[in-house]
């Protein structure tokens, strides 16, 4: 079992910045992808940014140029630097970890951290 704990959410004004952090613990092995997803009220959870062990990074078009994902494979942590925040970025942000086991892939999720962008 893997546990993920997010931190860094809060209330910021449009144009402001936040840095989210996520730390993984537990039975950590065969980890491939770590990243961030978000979900606004009434909407489905959507990908924000992910990073593979090999360093391949994927960003949602809506956050390219504003958000930056970083990862420490040894410490099993992942962070999301969010700049130039917009009201539409308001959502609960979830840390995600993909474990590639012989039996198949398994996804783990953090509890979520609220990001609110409002004047």
């Amino acid at each position: 079992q893997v546990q993920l704990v997010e931190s860094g959410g809060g209330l910021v004004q449009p144009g402001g910045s936040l840095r989210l952090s996520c730390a993984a613990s537990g039975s950590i092995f065969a980890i491939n992808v770590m990243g961030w997803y978000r979900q606004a009220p009434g909407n489905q959870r959507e990908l924000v940014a992910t990073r593979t062990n090999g360093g391949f990074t994927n960003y949602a078009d809506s956050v390219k140029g504003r958000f930056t994902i970083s990862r420490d494979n040894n410490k099993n942590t992942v962070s999301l630097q969010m700049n130039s925040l917009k009201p539409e970025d308001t959502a609960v942000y979830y840390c995600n970890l993909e474990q590639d086991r012989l039996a198949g892939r398994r996804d783990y999720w953090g509890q979520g951290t609220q990001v609110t962008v409002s004047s």
Side-chain angles (χ1 to χ4, degrees):
Q1 189 176 29
V2 175
Q3 295 82 44
L4 301 173
V5 179
E6 305 107 328
S7 62
L11 173 64
V12 297
Q13 292 185 318
S17 298
L18 282 175
R19 183 176 179 85
L20 305 182
S21 297
C22 174
S25 62
S27 300
I28 304 175
F29 67 96
I31 305 302
N32 183 21
V33 182
M34 293 188 71
W36 294 91
Y37 292 71
R38 67 187 181 187
Q39 187 169 21
N43 295 101
Q44 295 192 81
R45 190 173 299 182
E46 64 176 355
L47 181 148
V48 178
T50 61
R51 192 176 184 93
T52 69
N53 288 340
F56 179 83
T57 303
N58 186 33
Y59 291 94
D61 288 340
S62 60
V63 307
K64 288 181 179 178
R66 300 188 298 119
F67 292 9
T68 302
I69 187 170
S70 60
R71 178 179 171 182
D72 188 326
N73 292 350
N74 296 127
K75 296 182 178 179
N76 295 304
T77 59
V78 63
S79 298
L80 185 69
Q81 179 65 45
M82 304 185 294
N83 299 325
S84 302
L85 284 162
K86 304 175 180 179
E88 49 263 44
D89 294 319
T90 296
V92 177
Y93 284 70
Y94 296 91
C95 180
N96 170 258
L97 181 151
E98 178 193 292
Q99 185 180 55
D100 292 325
R101 301 148 54 241
L102 291 176
R105 294 180 179 177
R106 177 174 292 176
D107 284 311
Y108 294 91
W109 299 91
Q111 81 285 355
T113 184
Q114 177 70 47
V115 172
T116 302
V117 184
S118 179
S119 60

